[in-house]
Structure formats: C-alpha cells, structure tokens
Amino acid sequence: MAETVKPETEAEIGEYLSHKIHFNKLTKALRALRALNLVVVKRRPNASDVLELHPLVRQFVRHNFTGPDRVTFIDGIIKVYQRHIGSHKAQLMEHPSFSVLQYWTQTAELDIRAGRLDDAFSTLAEVAVPLMATTYGREFSRIARLLLSSADWVSGHDTFKMFEVVFKSHVRLLSYLGEYREADELLDRYETTVVERDARYINYCEMRCFSQWVRNEFSSAVEWGKKGQNLKNSGVDTAYDAAHTLALAERDAGLPESALPVFLGGRSLAEVVDPEELDEKRDGAYYGNIGRCLHFM
C-alpha cells in the first residue's frame, strides 16, 4: 500500500498481492491496520470503499525499507497495470477515457520510483498524443516533471530511447498551460545538449518556434522556425522538421501567402476548395489552416 499511486479497493490490493498472500489473509491484515488507525478509508456512495496508508506511515515505510524490498511490490502493481494496458492499447487510436490513460501514466510513475527511467520514458511516450488531445494534459506534465527531475538528461539524453518524444510533448503542454518560465528553462537546458548544429538543433528550433507561437510572439516564432527549416533545407538528413510550425507562425504573423503552400501539402488550391473533391481522410486542421490563410488573405 505504500507503493500504490492512488487509493485502492481491497480487491485491487488483493490483485497486486496475489503472488504473495491469499485474499482471506489480506482482509484480516487490512482489518488490523484499520483498527490501529493506520489506514485512511475513503467512502464512495455507489462503489466499494478505497483505502490508502496514513501519509506518515507511507513515509516511514518508504524511508525504512530498501530499494529491492520495495521494487518487489512495485513490480506486482506494474504487472496488473500491464495487463490493463494490453487490453486497452487499441483504444489509444480513438478517444480513451482518463481512467484508461492513467494505466500508462501510473505505470510510468512506478517505473520512476523503481529507477527504471528508460521504461518510464517509453511508457509515457506511448500516451503523449492521446493525452495532448484531451483536457488531461496536466497528468502527462506531472509525470514528465517527475521523470525529467529524476534523469540526468542533459548529459545522458541519448541513453533514453523515447526522451525526445516526452520532452517535446512536455514543452508543448507547458506552453499551452501558460507555464512559460518552466518551458524556457527546459529549453535553455536542452540547448546545451545541441552544441553542434545537427538534426537535434532543428528539433530545438521547432520547439522554440511552437512555444513562441502559442504565446502570440509571432515574429520570434518565425525567426526560430526559419532557423530550423533553413538548416533542414541545407541537406541535413533527419525526420525533424519545422515547416508546419513555421507555417503556423507565418500565417498568424501576417504572412499567409508564405504559409498556404505548406498547408496545401502539394495539392492545388482549386482542388482543395472544390466541394466535389473533399478528402475525408484529412482532418479538420488541414482544411482549417487553409481556410484561415484564405480568411487573412
């Protein structure tokens, strides 16, 4: 119970401990803990009560037990979460509920606690896009803060496979949330990892461009976007690209004519505005960005 990331029902605690203790022994142990007032019971009107350790007891357990002892119980919780992740993974392509997305964020939080930072980056990266498409972005940023504060990512960013995905998503969310100082501090530290003007510098410029665009600092956003895209166009072979973000900044900076060809994506304007040629596979942002450029023009 000291390792759970949220209050749990007796049944859920029993599932985490199924490899160690029978359920009848578990219920006896919980009754004893409740009698000693070591457990906080949170009642729910139409559902089973949930339990959590008293904060002082939780702190005592975490402080006095060694890492290996704690990891054993952390792994028990993660195994249950992983089963839920496996059964809900297909929903990531749709609009999963927050309770489903939490299986990923809570697994990442447990991995951080167990010192498995690379696993945490990979798990969190898997739900970056779905969480950013919801109103629950703060949950992603909460875990990302824990992860970045636990990892020596300035000197060891290349040791974490999904570092760039998590970092970029976190900076985007911070910008949307108005946490500009925190976003700038992270980007300043990121800049120290791109001394060479290489592929990752394009990524850095794109993140600066996006963050400035969200703040309505369009001139600055255009400047950063052009830095990144000019480097990309110079022949750097990389998947990183600043063209779309630069187009957003140019559109809102009063340069919709420059942005429009990027949003058209190789199609002619006549084709795009023809009602008989509507491409239903393209999302609303595609037609929205083109329409906004036409509006400004």
Side-chain angles (χ1 to χ4, degrees):
M1 292 178 70
E3 302 302 340
T4 57
V5 294
K6 65 182 190 341
E8 306 280 17
T9 65
E10 287 189 8
E12 288 167 333
I13 296 169
E15 191 176 6
Y16 301 148
L17 291 171
S18 59
H19 63 295
K20 283 185 171 291
I21 186 173
H22 292 299
F23 190 73
N24 60 341
K25 290 186 177 180
L26 171 72
T27 56
K28 290 180 181 178
L30 288 174
R31 280 200 299 270
L33 290 173
R34 292 171 73 165
L36 293 169
N37 291 323
L38 300 179
V39 172
V40 178
V41 180
K42 297 186 175 181
R43 304 193 181 282
R44 300 186 293 179
N46 299 313
S48 301
D49 296 343
V50 291
L51 313 174
E52 65 179 348
L53 280 185
H54 188 284
L56 291 177
V57 180
R58 181 187 293 266
Q59 183 180 4
F60 174 83
V61 172
R62 290 184 179 181
H63 179 76
N64 287 277
F65 283 81
T66 63
D69 290 333
R70 294 180 58 194
V71 167
T72 299
F73 294 98
I74 291 173
D75 286 344
I77 302 172
I78 287 178
K79 284 179 181 178
V80 175
Y81 281 3
Q82 286 175 337
R83 289 201 297 271
H84 290 302
I85 285 174
S87 62
H88 290 91
K89 187 167 290 191
Q91 294 182 28
L92 294 182
M93 303 300 293
E94 303 166 1
H95 297 286
S97 65
F98 183 50
S99 59
V100 168
L101 292 170
Q102 279 187 308
Y103 290 130
W104 277 265
T105 59
Q106 290 172 2
T107 297
E109 184 172 356
L110 290 166
D111 278 327
I112 295 169
R113 201 177 294 165
R116 294 189 289 260
L117 302 184
D118 192 45
D119 289 344
F121 274 110
S122 296
T123 301
L124 195 56
E126 200 167 358
V127 290
V129 172
L131 270 172
M132 290 181 70
T134 70
T135 57
Y136 308 117
R138 289 184 185 275
E139 174 69 359
F140 182 95
S141 286
R142 181 181 72 84
I143 305 301
R145 284 188 179 104
L146 288 175
L147 184 51
L148 294 175
S149 65
S150 301
D152 182 13
W153 58 268
V154 173
S155 61
H157 60 86
D158 55 344
T159 63
F160 306 119
K161 185 169 57 176
M162 301 304 293
F163 166 77
E164 301 292 347
V165 173
V166 171
F167 187 90
K168 188 170 189 172
S169 300
H170 184 44
V171 168
R172 268 170 152 69
L173 283 166
L174 289 175
S175 300
Y176 279 133
L177 294 169
E179 303 289 351
Y180 303 140
R181 179 179 295 181
E182 185 177 355
D184 286 341
E185 288 175 352
L186 287 172
L187 286 168
D188 287 344
R189 294 179 65 192
Y190 187 97
E191 186 180 15
T192 65
T193 73
V194 286
V195 179
E196 301 294 333
R197 296 301 187 255
D198 56 9
R200 292 183 65 249
Y201 186 76
I202 297 173
N203 190 43
Y204 168 69
C205 291
E206 192 280 335
M207 287 189 287
R208 284 285 189 189
C209 177
F210 187 90
S211 188
Q212 293 299 308
W213 171 69
V214 170
R215 307 177 202 192
N216 295 331
E217 300 290 343
F218 301 130
S219 296
S220 176
V222 169
E223 182 181 346
W224 279 109
K226 284 184 175 180
K227 282 183 182 180
Q229 201 55 28
N230 289 340
L231 181 57
K232 170 83 172 183
N233 295 338
S234 70
V236 176
D237 184 16
T238 176
Y240 294 128
D241 192 285
H244 184 80
T245 308
L246 172 59
L248 291 171
E250 287 181 326
R251 180 198 69 192
D252 295 341
L255 302 169
E257 298 87 349
S258 299
L260 183 57
V262 177
F263 293 137
L264 286 170
R267 302 171 76 196
S268 70
L269 180 59
E271 177 186 0
V272 172
V273 300
D274 185 347
E276 301 300 324
E277 297 295 330
L278 178 65
D279 186 350
E280 295 182 1
K281 293 182 180 179
R282 296 182 185 268
D283 61 15
Y286 176 78
Y287 290 101
N289 285 326
I290 293 171
R292 191 165 176 81
C293 285
L294 296 177
H295 171 72
F296 284 143
M297 292 163 66

mmCIF file of all heavy atoms in Angstrom, residues 249-280:
data_model
loop_
_atom_site.group_PDB
_atom_site.id
_atom_site.type_symbol
_atom_site.label_atom_id
_atom_site.label_comp_id
_atom_site.label_asym_id
_atom_site.label_seq_id
_atom_site.Cartn_x
_atom_site.Cartn_y
_atom_site.Cartn_z
ATOM 1 N N ALA A 249 3.229 30.005 -37.605
ATOM 2 C CA ALA A 249 3.727 31.308 -37.152
ATOM 3 C C ALA A 249 3.619 32.342 -38.264
ATOM 4 O O ALA A 249 3.212 33.490 -38.018
ATOM 5 C CB ALA A 249 5.174 31.166 -36.688
ATOM 6 N N GLU A 250 3.969 31.950 -39.491
ATOM 7 C CA GLU A 250 3.897 32.896 -40.608
ATOM 8 C C GLU A 250 2.443 33.298 -40.886
ATOM 9 O O GLU A 250 2.158 34.468 -41.155
ATOM 10 C CB GLU A 250 4.508 32.267 -41.855
ATOM 11 C CG GLU A 250 6.020 32.178 -41.805
ATOM 12 C CD GLU A 250 6.612 31.577 -43.051
ATOM 13 O OE1 GLU A 250 5.969 30.681 -43.655
ATOM 14 O OE2 GLU A 250 7.734 31.988 -43.427
ATOM 15 N N ARG A 251 1.553 32.336 -40.822
ATOM 16 C CA ARG A 251 0.138 32.632 -41.035
ATOM 17 C C ARG A 251 -0.350 33.715 -40.086
ATOM 18 O O ARG A 251 -0.994 34.685 -40.487
ATOM 19 C CB ARG A 251 -0.679 31.356 -40.847
ATOM 20 C CG ARG A 251 -2.174 31.502 -41.045
ATOM 21 C CD ARG A 251 -2.908 30.337 -40.410
ATOM 22 N NE ARG A 251 -2.829 30.371 -38.950
ATOM 23 C CZ ARG A 251 -3.187 29.365 -38.155
ATOM 24 N NH1 ARG A 251 -3.622 28.231 -38.677
ATOM 25 N NH2 ARG A 251 -3.093 29.488 -36.840
ATOM 26 N N ASP A 252 -0.020 33.563 -38.794
ATOM 27 C CA ASP A 252 -0.531 34.491 -37.785
ATOM 28 C C ASP A 252 0.322 35.747 -37.665
ATOM 29 O O ASP A 252 -0.074 36.706 -36.977
ATOM 30 C CB ASP A 252 -0.627 33.785 -36.435
ATOM 31 C CG ASP A 252 -1.658 32.658 -36.457
ATOM 32 O OD1 ASP A 252 -2.516 32.666 -37.359
ATOM 33 O OD2 ASP A 252 -1.592 31.764 -35.587
ATOM 34 N N ALA A 253 1.491 35.749 -38.317
ATOM 35 C CA ALA A 253 2.351 36.937 -38.305
ATOM 36 C C ALA A 253 2.038 37.859 -39.474
ATOM 37 O O ALA A 253 2.722 38.864 -39.680
ATOM 38 C CB ALA A 253 3.817 36.528 -38.356
ATOM 39 N N GLY A 254 1.009 37.523 -40.260
ATOM 40 C CA GLY A 254 0.641 38.369 -41.392
ATOM 41 C C GLY A 254 1.261 37.944 -42.699
ATOM 42 O O GLY A 254 1.318 38.727 -43.653
ATOM 43 N N LEU A 255 1.723 36.685 -42.760
ATOM 44 C CA LEU A 255 2.331 36.161 -43.984
ATOM 45 C C LEU A 255 1.596 34.907 -44.459
ATOM 46 O O LEU A 255 2.199 33.858 -44.680
ATOM 47 C CB LEU A 255 3.808 35.830 -43.738
ATOM 48 C CG LEU A 255 4.692 36.987 -43.262
ATOM 49 C CD1 LEU A 255 6.048 36.460 -42.796
ATOM 50 C CD2 LEU A 255 4.872 38.010 -44.385
ATOM 51 N N PRO A 256 0.281 34.992 -44.617
ATOM 52 C CA PRO A 256 -0.462 33.789 -45.002
ATOM 53 C C PRO A 256 -0.081 33.240 -46.370
ATOM 54 O O PRO A 256 -0.194 32.036 -46.620
ATOM 55 C CB PRO A 256 -1.924 34.262 -44.981
ATOM 56 C CG PRO A 256 -1.859 35.737 -45.177
ATOM 57 C CD PRO A 256 -0.602 36.168 -44.498
ATOM 58 N N GLU A 257 0.401 34.132 -47.291
ATOM 59 C CA GLU A 257 0.802 33.655 -48.613
ATOM 60 C C GLU A 257 1.977 32.686 -48.528
ATOM 61 O O GLU A 257 2.074 31.748 -49.325
ATOM 62 C CB GLU A 257 1.178 34.834 -49.513
ATOM 63 C CG GLU A 257 0.038 35.817 -49.768
ATOM 64 C CD GLU A 257 -0.064 36.906 -48.711
ATOM 65 O OE1 GLU A 257 0.614 36.785 -47.661
ATOM 66 O OE2 GLU A 257 -0.840 37.859 -48.919
ATOM 67 N N SER A 258 2.868 32.906 -47.545
ATOM 68 C CA SER A 258 4.010 32.004 -47.354
ATOM 69 C C SER A 258 3.593 30.689 -46.715
ATOM 70 O O SER A 258 4.165 29.641 -46.998
ATOM 71 C CB SER A 258 5.071 32.683 -46.483
ATOM 72 O OG SER A 258 5.553 33.862 -47.091
ATOM 73 N N ALA A 259 2.577 30.765 -45.848
ATOM 74 C CA ALA A 259 2.144 29.577 -45.112
ATOM 75 C C ALA A 259 1.261 28.661 -45.947
ATOM 76 O O ALA A 259 1.281 27.437 -45.790
ATOM 77 C CB ALA A 259 1.401 29.996 -43.844
ATOM 78 N N LEU A 260 0.473 29.239 -46.851
ATOM 79 C CA LEU A 260 -0.541 28.471 -47.574
ATOM 80 C C LEU A 260 0.021 27.264 -48.330
ATOM 81 O O LEU A 260 -0.556 26.167 -48.243
ATOM 82 C CB LEU A 260 -1.308 29.387 -48.525
ATOM 83 C CG LEU A 260 -2.458 28.742 -49.306
ATOM 84 C CD1 LEU A 260 -3.473 28.107 -48.362
ATOM 85 C CD2 LEU A 260 -3.140 29.766 -50.212
ATOM 86 N N PRO A 261 1.138 27.400 -49.093
ATOM 87 C CA PRO A 261 1.657 26.220 -49.809
ATOM 88 C C PRO A 261 2.005 25.050 -48.879
ATOM 89 O O PRO A 261 1.832 23.884 -49.258
ATOM 90 C CB PRO A 261 2.908 26.759 -50.506
ATOM 91 C CG PRO A 261 2.666 28.227 -50.640
ATOM 92 C CD PRO A 261 1.905 28.613 -49.404
ATOM 93 N N VAL A 262 2.465 25.355 -47.676
ATOM 94 C CA VAL A 262 2.796 24.290 -46.722
ATOM 95 C C VAL A 262 1.535 23.562 -46.292
ATOM 96 O O VAL A 262 1.481 22.327 -46.259
ATOM 97 C CB VAL A 262 3.531 24.864 -45.492
ATOM 98 C CG1 VAL A 262 3.811 23.758 -44.469
ATOM 99 C CG2 VAL A 262 4.818 25.546 -45.907
ATOM 100 N N PHE A 263 0.495 24.312 -45.983
ATOM 101 C CA PHE A 263 -0.761 23.696 -45.548
ATOM 102 C C PHE A 263 -1.450 22.928 -46.673
ATOM 103 O O PHE A 263 -2.138 21.940 -46.430
ATOM 104 C CB PHE A 263 -1.711 24.767 -45.000
ATOM 105 C CG PHE A 263 -1.234 25.408 -43.726
ATOM 106 C CD1 PHE A 263 -1.331 26.791 -43.551
ATOM 107 C CD2 PHE A 263 -0.686 24.654 -42.693
ATOM 108 C CE1 PHE A 263 -0.901 27.390 -42.376
ATOM 109 C CE2 PHE A 263 -0.259 25.244 -41.520
ATOM 110 C CZ PHE A 263 -0.365 26.613 -41.361
ATOM 111 N N LEU A 264 -1.267 23.369 -47.909
ATOM 112 C CA LEU A 264 -1.865 22.662 -49.047
ATOM 113 C C LEU A 264 -1.257 21.273 -49.226
ATOM 114 O O LEU A 264 -1.900 20.366 -49.752
ATOM 115 C CB LEU A 264 -1.705 23.483 -50.325
ATOM 116 C CG LEU A 264 -2.607 24.713 -50.449
ATOM 117 C CD1 LEU A 264 -2.183 25.566 -51.640
ATOM 118 C CD2 LEU A 264 -4.064 24.305 -50.580
ATOM 119 N N GLY A 265 -0.020 21.115 -48.804
ATOM 120 C CA GLY A 265 0.614 19.793 -48.852
ATOM 121 C C GLY A 265 0.750 19.223 -50.249
ATOM 122 O O GLY A 265 0.563 18.015 -50.467
ATOM 123 N N GLY A 266 1.077 20.067 -51.229
ATOM 124 C CA GLY A 266 1.290 19.588 -52.584
ATOM 125 C C GLY A 266 0.054 19.598 -53.461
ATOM 126 O O GLY A 266 0.143 19.332 -54.666
ATOM 127 N N ARG A 267 -1.108 19.881 -52.892
ATOM 128 C CA ARG A 267 -2.334 19.953 -53.695
ATOM 129 C C ARG A 267 -2.558 21.392 -54.173
ATOM 130 O O ARG A 267 -2.062 22.345 -53.572
ATOM 131 C CB ARG A 267 -3.537 19.480 -52.881
ATOM 132 C CG ARG A 267 -3.415 18.062 -52.353
ATOM 133 C CD ARG A 267 -4.541 17.744 -51.393
ATOM 134 N NE ARG A 267 -5.797 17.503 -52.084
ATOM 135 C CZ ARG A 267 -6.987 17.512 -51.480
ATOM 136 N NH1 ARG A 267 -7.076 17.779 -50.184
ATOM 137 N NH2 ARG A 267 -8.095 17.275 -52.171
ATOM 138 N N SER A 268 -3.319 21.548 -55.226
ATOM 139 C CA SER A 268 -3.627 22.882 -55.714
ATOM 140 C C SER A 268 -4.782 23.459 -54.909
ATOM 141 O O SER A 268 -5.633 22.724 -54.395
ATOM 142 C CB SER A 268 -4.002 22.843 -57.195
ATOM 143 O OG SER A 268 -5.270 22.214 -57.368
ATOM 144 N N LEU A 269 -4.824 24.789 -54.835
ATOM 145 C CA LEU A 269 -5.904 25.433 -54.089
ATOM 146 C C LEU A 269 -7.257 25.150 -54.737
ATOM 147 O O LEU A 269 -8.253 24.921 -54.049
ATOM 148 C CB LEU A 269 -5.652 26.940 -54.014
ATOM 149 C CG LEU A 269 -6.693 27.760 -53.251
ATOM 150 C CD1 LEU A 269 -6.802 27.282 -51.806
ATOM 151 C CD2 LEU A 269 -6.334 29.241 -53.300
ATOM 152 N N ALA A 270 -7.277 25.137 -56.052
ATOM 153 C CA ALA A 270 -8.532 24.877 -56.762
ATOM 154 C C ALA A 270 -9.089 23.503 -56.406
ATOM 155 O O ALA A 270 -10.309 23.331 -56.248
ATOM 156 C CB ALA A 270 -8.303 24.976 -58.268
ATOM 157 N N GLU A 271 -8.205 22.533 -56.262
ATOM 158 C CA GLU A 271 -8.654 21.183 -55.905
ATOM 159 C C GLU A 271 -9.193 21.150 -54.482
ATOM 160 O O GLU A 271 -10.236 20.538 -54.213
ATOM 161 C CB GLU A 271 -7.485 20.206 -56.052
ATOM 162 C CG GLU A 271 -7.813 18.779 -55.650
ATOM 163 C CD GLU A 271 -6.602 17.866 -55.659
ATOM 164 O OE1 GLU A 271 -5.488 18.335 -55.987
ATOM 165 O OE2 GLU A 271 -6.767 16.681 -55.303
ATOM 166 N N VAL A 272 -8.511 21.815 -53.586
ATOM 167 C CA VAL A 272 -8.895 21.759 -52.174
ATOM 168 C C VAL A 272 -10.252 22.430 -51.932
ATOM 169 O O VAL A 272 -11.057 21.935 -51.134
ATOM 170 C CB VAL A 272 -7.812 22.423 -51.294
ATOM 171 C CG1 VAL A 272 -8.288 22.555 -49.856
ATOM 172 C CG2 VAL A 272 -6.527 21.605 -51.337
ATOM 173 N N VAL A 273 -10.524 23.522 -52.625
ATOM 174 C CA VAL A 273 -11.771 24.250 -52.366
ATOM 175 C C VAL A 273 -12.944 23.730 -53.201
ATOM 176 O O VAL A 273 -14.073 24.206 -53.029
ATOM 177 C CB VAL A 273 -11.597 25.769 -52.620
ATOM 178 C CG1 VAL A 273 -10.532 26.334 -51.704
ATOM 179 C CG2 VAL A 273 -11.267 26.041 -54.086
ATOM 180 N N ASP A 274 -12.677 22.776 -54.061
ATOM 181 C CA ASP A 274 -13.759 22.178 -54.863
ATOM 182 C C ASP A 274 -14.593 21.259 -53.974
ATOM 183 O O ASP A 274 -14.093 20.257 -53.463
ATOM 184 C CB ASP A 274 -13.161 21.381 -56.021
ATOM 185 C CG ASP A 274 -14.227 20.820 -56.964
ATOM 186 O OD1 ASP A 274 -15.419 20.829 -56.583
ATOM 187 O OD2 ASP A 274 -13.862 20.372 -58.058
ATOM 188 N N PRO A 275 -15.886 21.548 -53.770
ATOM 189 C CA PRO A 275 -16.715 20.717 -52.876
ATOM 190 C C PRO A 275 -16.795 19.259 -53.305
ATOM 191 O O PRO A 275 -17.033 18.379 -52.479
ATOM 192 C CB PRO A 275 -18.098 21.383 -52.961
ATOM 193 C CG PRO A 275 -17.847 22.767 -53.425
ATOM 194 C CD PRO A 275 -16.646 22.696 -54.324
ATOM 195 N N GLU A 276 -16.581 18.997 -54.586
ATOM 196 C CA GLU A 276 -16.663 17.626 -55.080
ATOM 197 C C GLU A 276 -15.395 16.828 -54.782
ATOM 198 O O GLU A 276 -15.366 15.616 -54.986
ATOM 199 C CB GLU A 276 -16.913 17.628 -56.598
ATOM 200 C CG GLU A 276 -18.189 18.333 -57.013
ATOM 201 C CD GLU A 276 -19.416 17.694 -56.397
ATOM 202 O OE1 GLU A 276 -19.428 16.438 -56.265
ATOM 203 O OE2 GLU A 276 -20.351 18.426 -56.021
ATOM 204 N N GLU A 277 -14.354 17.509 -54.313
ATOM 205 C CA GLU A 277 -13.063 16.843 -54.088
ATOM 206 C C GLU A 277 -12.701 16.754 -52.604
ATOM 207 O O GLU A 277 -11.536 16.601 -52.260
ATOM 208 C CB GLU A 277 -11.955 17.597 -54.839
ATOM 209 C CG GLU A 277 -12.119 17.614 -56.344
ATOM 210 C CD GLU A 277 -12.006 16.220 -56.935
ATOM 211 O OE1 GLU A 277 -11.270 15.386 -56.355
ATOM 212 O OE2 GLU A 277 -12.652 15.974 -57.969
ATOM 213 N N LEU A 278 -13.696 16.839 -51.735
ATOM 214 C CA LEU A 278 -13.408 16.787 -50.294
ATOM 215 C C LEU A 278 -12.722 15.472 -49.926
ATOM 216 O O LEU A 278 -13.228 14.391 -50.234
ATOM 217 C CB LEU A 278 -14.698 16.927 -49.495
ATOM 218 C CG LEU A 278 -14.544 16.834 -47.967
ATOM 219 C CD1 LEU A 278 -13.720 17.986 -47.430
ATOM 220 C CD2 LEU A 278 -15.902 16.777 -47.286
ATOM 221 N N ASP A 279 -11.565 15.569 -49.307
ATOM 222 C CA ASP A 279 -10.814 14.388 -48.864
ATOM 223 C C ASP A 279 -11.163 14.121 -47.403
ATOM 224 O O ASP A 279 -10.656 14.787 -46.507
ATOM 225 C CB ASP A 279 -9.319 14.622 -49.031
ATOM 226 C CG ASP A 279 -8.493 13.379 -48.718
ATOM 227 O OD1 ASP A 279 -9.062 12.396 -48.183
ATOM 228 O OD2 ASP A 279 -7.280 13.375 -49.008
ATOM 229 N N GLU A 280 -12.021 13.143 -47.171
ATOM 230 C CA GLU A 280 -12.493 12.871 -45.809
ATOM 231 C C GLU A 280 -11.423 12.234 -44.928
ATOM 232 O O GLU A 280 -11.616 12.104 -43.720
ATOM 233 C CB GLU A 280 -13.737 11.978 -45.868
ATOM 234 C CG GLU A 280 -14.913 12.666 -46.544
ATOM 235 C CD GLU A 280 -16.153 11.797 -46.566
ATOM 236 O OE1 GLU A 280 -16.082 10.668 -46.034
ATOM 237 O OE2 GLU A 280 -17.179 12.231 -47.106
#
